[in-house]
Amino acid sequence: MTGFALILFAALFFDGLIVRTKSVCSGRKGPGVFQPLKDVARLMRKGAVYSPTTGWVFKAAPIVQAASVVMACAVIPLGEYGALLSFRGDFVFFAYVLALGKFFGIVGALDTGSSFEGMGAAREALYSMLAEPAFFMVVGSLSLLTGFVSFADILPAIHLSGAMSCAIAVVAAGVLLVLELIENSRLPVDDPKTHLELTMVHEAMILDNSGFDLGLILAAGYLKFAMYAALIANLFVGSVPDAWDVPAFLAVQAGSAVSIGVVESFMARARMNHNPQFVFALTSVALLLVFGVLLAVGNFR
Amino acid sequence: MNVEDLILHCGPVFGNVRLSADALSLWFIAVICIVFACGAIYGRDYMKRYSGRGAAVKLHWAHYAVCFLSMVALCLVRNTLAFLVAWEIMALSSFFLIVFESWKKEVIEAGTNFFVQSHVSAALLTVGFIAIAQKTGSYDFAAIAAYDGSVWPLVLILSGFAVKAGFVPFHTWLPHAHPVAPAHVSGVMSGVIIKIGIYGILRVIALTTANLLVAGYAILAVAAVSGLYGVMLAIMQHNLKKLLAYHSIENIGIIGMGIGLGCVGAALGKADLAALGFAGALLHTLNHALFKSSLFFAAGNVYQAAHTLDVERLGGLAKKLPWTAAFFLVSSVAICGLPPMNGFVSELAIYLGLFGWLDGAGAAGAVGASFAIMALVLIGGLAVLCFTKAFGIVFLGTPRTALPEMREFGWSRKLPLCVEAAIMLSVGLFPQFYASAAASVVASFPGVSGSAGALPDWMSNVGAATLATVGVIAALAGLRQLAGRGKSVREGETWGCGYTAGTAKIQYTATSYTRTYADLCSGLLGNAVRCDPIEKCYPGRAAYESENYDAFERHFISAPLEAYRRFMDRFSFLQNGRLQYYILYGIVCIVLAILLTLVLA
């Protein structure tokens, strides 16, 4: 419960912190930390406009998307505080329930009959398909390292002692951070601030959403940020004294938000046709991690 | 489960034919019964379109019944000769089921392909069974358990079953046969007839006492390739039923990965691995039978409403066929293995087994497990790409061509789909009940020894998660209902970047949806392009046509056959149609026979 509540709490300021970082880096005054939240609240109070082309699939899509992120958060523990839901193989549930959300996001976009949204949907489907193996390889290597097969057992069991485990944790954190960027459609794969539909990925898919639905999609996006950062935080929380769990968690959340902001301030987006290579290269890094762990645990004979 | 064996005395050739019903038989018989019953109800309405051909329809249903009975018999008989007879009855009756529309050329072609390949399968089985009987002197299944000679008869038998199941490289009959058969036959065929191959493989594994390690690795490799190849080609298909047929190959691959994992677990002495692998395979057999037959039934609705299965010509059907669309969506979510539907449960079991194998494995095991996990993950991701395309292009947006007037079909078609959707959802939400049934089947497998008992407990936790998912979705839907009260809801055109005169042609097509993917995989997939480019200042007619084909089939099946045919053509002068020549051949043969006997004597 504590872990889940803390992810919700971190989601409140995550995107705001990214926006602040970007404003500071570019020397603008910029909006406040809570501006994204205010936007969501404003959208949720509004009415909605639906295209006559759309049907019930389009209306169901934002709800399933948001529900999938909530359910994915439910299996993430925080150090010694267990997760809301935990069973052997829950990380598979984590990945697959997120895929459920993506599935509905994609069919929701296709329901509008717009070529832009079809384009965004095709890109999103491809990138998330290519990114999936990296996640499983990271979790596989952590599972191998600790000998457990559920988040609630694996993550608290990671203790950073010695160079090898530190290296593994840092590489895993790096892969997860890049995954966070890809899954949340941020630079260098996608630029949320682009104003040209042809270069959009995620933004193109939600062009026709409005009102409560759009608010829900944005809120789910913030929650997804905090969720991945919570996974990263869990790599390190096991090594600090119990009393420091919560501060460490929040520090990692803030750190990843700031680093995403810095990345976005100083990096251009990749060319669209380089994205698949970039995304799939992550899998090879993750595979490297698996074999690194095999070496570390010493049963690679 | 203790049912006494029934011994039938069947004369001097067959000897005593033993009939026995153990948990494995009953599991498959249950799956067969569900799908055949739903197919019969669905097919009754589907065949009304052919009411002008009363006799043919009656014969069709007779074959349907015979096919059903032969499948049940296959699950019960414990005598290899009787098994082969039932196998042949099944192959012939399903051939007649497929070629119902026998006045169409492509139907006869696909039917012949099926006919030949199912007899390749039968030939492999016959040779394998007879080789074992030669060694042990008995045609009873117990002989397989007692057999301890060379491994080749077992390999032949497994290959024979693999042809029926549609593993790569024996998959080439599937994508031809499924699209031409009537929808309920495709559903039944993909749902259960190919599963008889899985039953055979599982039966042999349950009987044999040989070391399963090599077999496990081999099955795992073949299955992973089947799964990946099936889904990679499925994405490229524009015929809806052909797309589904390639997905059968993918799902057979997933089932095979479960079986391979089970064998490896049994050979390594890891009982929980074996239990997870075999249970995952069994559950996925049930799951695939349900969602694939639903998908074929829904595709049948699309075909009879729109008179085409070409996805590029369809679109916007969700408005006209809302129930069909809903069933297709539910089954698509299930086939992608997404929670809260049933496909997730079986894939989770296989995943957990693979991750368990990774832990404490040696070098070979770690490489095997990590590549198997990668394969399963990619299969899942590609399936999402494929079914978002299939559902999105066919049912969503607006029609891409002028489609005929259509109405949603009546209850006799919705009922079987409702029943299957309900079972699918119940497997997803309450997997513990199905897992305990699967656990009792798995308990009789080699190397499992009691560790299957933990499955239902674990599955009840999984069920809690899927139930919670449904709960959260319902809660959010309620929240939107509350928030939407008193707010204005307007209609406005889809955003067209300021352009308001968009037509249906502007929509993304199936080809454009998969274009980047097709470019990425172009090295692995066959793609034939015919292009008359635009040239000179006053260009003539330009054309561009691309067609993708099954590279494996073309290079490894069709090309050798074509070479063989060309070779045989050299002797075609012998068959010149003149009677006097044929009499001459006869005389020459007789003279040669006499001479040869004299010389040899």
Side-chain angles (χ1 to χ4, degrees):
Chain A
M1 194 68 213
T2 319
F4 188 71
L6 273 172
I7 295 175
L8 285 182
F9 174 69
L12 295 180
F13 66 84
F14 202 103
D15 197 58
L17 213 52
I18 297 178
V19 174
R20 278 304 311 152
T21 313
K22 285 167 83 171
S23 326
V24 170
C25 286
S26 60
R28 284 180 291 122
K29 190 156 171 271
V33 173
F34 290 104
Q35 189 57 44
L37 273 193
K38 290 176 191 160
D39 288 345
V40 169
R42 173 174 53 82
L43 283 167
M44 285 192 164
R45 281 198 302 270
K46 282 187 158 186
V49 184
Y50 290 106
S51 158
T53 317
T54 60
W56 53 269
V57 175
F58 183 76
K59 294 202 174 76
I63 287 174
V64 179
Q65 266 176 291
S68 79
V69 181
V70 172
M71 287 311 297
C73 290
V75 297
I76 298 180
L78 170 63
E80 296 303 315
Y81 312 108
L84 271 186
L85 283 168
S86 163
F87 50 91
R88 295 200 301 148
D90 54 7
F91 50 82
V92 181
F93 176 77
F94 174 89
Y96 271 59
V97 84
L98 283 177
L100 175 75
K102 263 177 232 151
F103 186 103
F104 271 86
I106 291 164
V107 292
L110 290 173
D111 200 14
T112 60
S114 146
S115 46
F116 298 127
E117 299 196 32
M119 195 160 56
R123 289 170 180 168
E124 173 114 338
L126 188 71
Y127 298 161
S128 53
M129 183 270 285
L130 291 173
E132 208 90 315
F135 172 76
F136 274 86
M137 287 297 108
V138 169
V139 180
S141 63
L142 296 179
S143 152
L144 192 60
L145 188 67
T146 57
F148 293 114
V149 280
S150 94
F151 269 151
D153 294 330
I154 294 172
L155 295 174
I158 299 171
H159 294 290
L160 302 183
S161 53
M164 200 63 191
S165 62
C166 280
I168 287 166
V170 169
V171 176
V175 174
L176 284 174
L177 191 66
V178 180
L179 264 181
E180 181 172 11
L181 291 172
I182 296 167
E183 296 285 334
N184 284 294
S185 312
R186 308 297 286 214
L187 286 171
V189 172
D190 185 15
D191 183 0
K193 286 282 168 259
T194 181
H195 53 270
L196 177 61
E197 285 88 341
L198 286 174
T199 59
M200 292 175 177
V201 181
H202 182 69
E203 301 304 306
M205 289 172 64
I206 56 172
L207 278 174
D208 268 271
N209 288 96
S210 58
F212 187 87
D213 290 352
L214 185 59
L216 205 56
I217 292 173
L218 292 180
Y222 304 152
L223 193 57
K224 213 168 169 184
F225 265 132
M227 175 185 81
Y228 276 100
L231 271 186
I232 299 171
N234 266 304
L235 295 176
F236 304 101
V237 164
S239 316
V240 297
D242 281 356
W244 287 86
D245 275 1
V246 176
F249 175 87
L250 292 176
V252 174
Q253 290 277 359
S256 36
V258 170
S259 56
I260 290 170
V262 171
V263 166
E264 299 217 325
S265 302
F266 295 102
M267 223 176 144
R269 70 174 297 157
R271 261 170 62 187
M272 207 53 97
N273 53 356
H274 288 176
N275 276 342
Q277 295 161 10
F278 174 76
V279 177
F280 207 61
L282 199 60
T283 302
S284 33
V285 178
L287 209 56
L288 215 59
L289 199 62
V290 173
F291 292 109
V293 172
L294 274 174
L295 281 175
V297 296
N299 54 5
F300 202 28
R301 288 179 292 270
Chain B
M1 181 65 64
N2 265 323
V3 187
E4 247 181 64
D5 291 1
L6 181 71
I7 311 279
L8 299 176
H9 304 288
C10 297
V13 178
F14 288 95
N16 288 343
V17 173
R18 190 159 59 91
L19 293 181
S20 169
D22 62 355
L24 181 62
S25 306
L26 293 178
W27 179 273
F28 276 86
I29 290 175
V31 176
I32 289 167
C33 288
I34 295 170
V35 177
F36 262 90
C38 290
I41 300 169
Y42 177 86
R44 224 183 112 254
D45 195 63
Y46 187 88
M47 295 305 269
K48 280 188 183 147
R49 295 293 168 98
Y50 303 98
S51 51
R53 299 171 183 270
V57 171
K58 275 180 195 140
L59 195 62
H60 179 82
W61 287 116
H63 284 128
Y64 192 82
V66 168
C67 188
F68 170 68
L69 289 176
S70 68
M71 306 251 315
V72 175
L74 280 172
C75 294
L76 292 176
V77 292
R78 294 290 184 275
N79 176 300
T80 49
L81 280 184
F83 187 89
L84 285 173
V85 171
W87 186 268
E88 192 59 30
I89 294 174
M90 175 196 68
L92 288 179
S93 55
S94 45
F95 165 72
F96 285 116
L97 288 177
I98 290 170
V99 296
F100 174 73
E101 290 184 296
S102 54
W103 54 91
K104 291 182 182 164
K105 182 164 165 273
E106 70 267 21
V107 175
I108 291 294
E109 274 175 4
T112 315
N113 192 324
F114 169 79
F115 188 81
V116 172
Q117 299 219 33
S118 57
H119 282 82
V120 170
S121 147
L124 290 169
L125 290 180
T126 311
V127 174
F129 283 146
I130 288 178
I132 287 179
Q134 284 284 316
K135 185 95 176 171
T136 57
S138 160
Y139 282 108
D140 197 89
F141 271 22
I144 300 175
Y147 175 77
D148 59 349
S150 138
V151 73
W152 289 108
L154 290 175
V155 172
L156 284 180
I157 293 170
L158 289 181
S159 316
F161 287 131
V163 174
K164 187 55 70 189
F167 282 105
V168 173
F170 308 116
H171 67 282
T172 49
W173 63 273
L174 260 150
H176 295 291
H178 281 72
V180 298
H184 59 288
V185 175
S186 312
V188 165
M189 199 158 62
S190 183
V192 288
I193 296 183
I194 63 173
K195 301 296 163 36
I196 277 294
I198 298 293
Y199 166 78
I201 293 172
L202 283 173
R203 174 61 71 197
V204 171
I205 288 170
L207 281 171
T208 186
T209 47
N211 188 345
L212 291 168
L213 190 61
V214 179
Y217 274 112
I219 294 174
L220 203 55
V222 168
V225 170
S226 302
L228 278 173
Y229 192 69
V231 70
M232 282 173 74
L233 272 156
I235 295 176
M236 303 303 296
Q237 305 307 317
H238 291 325
N239 178 312
L240 189 57
K241 278 171 94 175
K242 204 165 183 179
L243 180 151
L244 295 177
Y246 273 109
H247 259 281
S248 296
I249 302 170
E250 176 228 304
N251 279 283
I252 284 293
I254 296 176
I255 296 171
M257 285 174 84
I259 298 174
L261 173 69
C263 291
V264 170
L268 294 177
K270 293 187 172 179
D272 50 337
L273 271 194
L276 282 170
F278 288 130
L282 284 170
L283 283 170
H284 204 72
T285 304
L286 168 72
N287 293 339
H288 178 246
L290 292 167
F291 51 63
K292 188 47 72 64
S293 52
S294 291
L295 286 167
F296 269 118
F297 297 161
N301 283 357
V302 169
Y303 178 62
Q304 290 203 330
H307 302 296
T308 178
L309 283 170
D310 184 356
V311 293
E312 300 286 34
R313 304 169 61 81
L314 297 166
L317 292 192
K319 290 224 167 49
K320 291 163 184 157
L321 310 173
W323 285 84
T324 307
F327 289 129
F328 197 95
L329 180 63
V330 165
S331 313
S332 301
V333 171
I335 200 171
C336 294
L338 302 176
M341 298 306 294
N342 56 349
F344 173 67
V345 172
S346 41
E347 288 194 26
L348 179 63
I350 298 174
Y351 266 119
L352 192 60
L354 290 172
F355 276 104
W357 182 21
L358 198 59
D359 182 33
V367 172
S370 25
F371 278 98
I373 293 169
M374 289 264 279
L376 204 49
V377 175
L378 278 175
I379 290 172
L382 289 164
V384 169
L385 184 65
C386 186
F387 274 93
T388 47
K389 169 194 137 174
F391 179 73
I393 305 292
V394 173
F395 289 98
L396 303 178
T398 49
R400 287 171 176 76
T401 52
L403 294 175
E405 276 296 306
M406 54 180 89
R407 277 188 306 122
E408 182 56 89
F409 294 92
W411 273 104
S412 57
R413 288 205 191 189
K414 284 178 206 155
L415 180 70
L417 283 159
C418 275
V419 169
E420 291 193 332
I423 302 176
M424 282 193 274
L425 198 61
S426 73
V427 178
L429 298 182
F430 308 103
Q432 57 272 35
F433 303 117
Y434 296 88
S436 64
S440 62
V441 181
V442 165
S444 65
F445 276 70
V448 173
S449 64
S451 71
L455 279 176
D457 280 347
W458 167 59
M459 279 293 187
S460 62
N461 290 331
V462 178
T466 50
L467 269 173
T469 312
V470 175
V472 174
I473 292 173
L476 283 175
L479 197 65
R480 182 171 68 184
Q481 207 64 35
L482 277 181
R485 252 197 245 156
K487 306 279 163 59
S488 74
V489 174
R490 285 187 296 119
E491 281 209 340
E493 285 301 314
T494 298
W495 172 244
C497 206
Y499 183 64
T500 52
T503 63
K505 280 204 168 163
I506 242 171
Q507 290 178 96
Y508 238 45
T509 60
T511 312
S512 45
Y513 187 75
T514 53
R515 160 102 202 271
T516 322
Y517 160 80
D519 289 349
L520 281 178
C521 302
S522 57
L524 295 168
L525 304 172
N527 196 19
V529 173
R530 262 188 351 101
C531 180
D532 301 328
I534 298 172
E535 284 164 340
K536 297 185 223 151
C537 326
Y538 299 101
R541 224 178 109 80
Y544 181 90
E545 196 181 340
S546 78
E547 181 209 12
N548 73 289
Y549 56 86
D550 188 338
F552 192 93
E553 182 183 13
R554 183 165 293 189
H555 297 309
F556 294 99
I557 311 279
S558 305
L561 279 181
E562 184 59 24
Y564 176 72
R565 198 185 61 78
R566 271 205 303 277
F567 176 72
M568 294 312 274
D569 265 355
R570 297 189 184 175
F571 304 100
S572 61
F573 67 90
L574 291 173
Q575 192 180 9
N576 50 18
R578 286 189 211 139
L579 191 60
Q580 55 267 47
Y581 276 86
Y582 294 165
I583 295 171
L584 179 69
Y585 299 155
I587 293 172
V588 168
C589 270
I590 292 167
V591 170
L592 274 179
I594 293 170
L595 280 178
L596 216 61
T597 345
L598 287 177
V599 169
L600 286 178

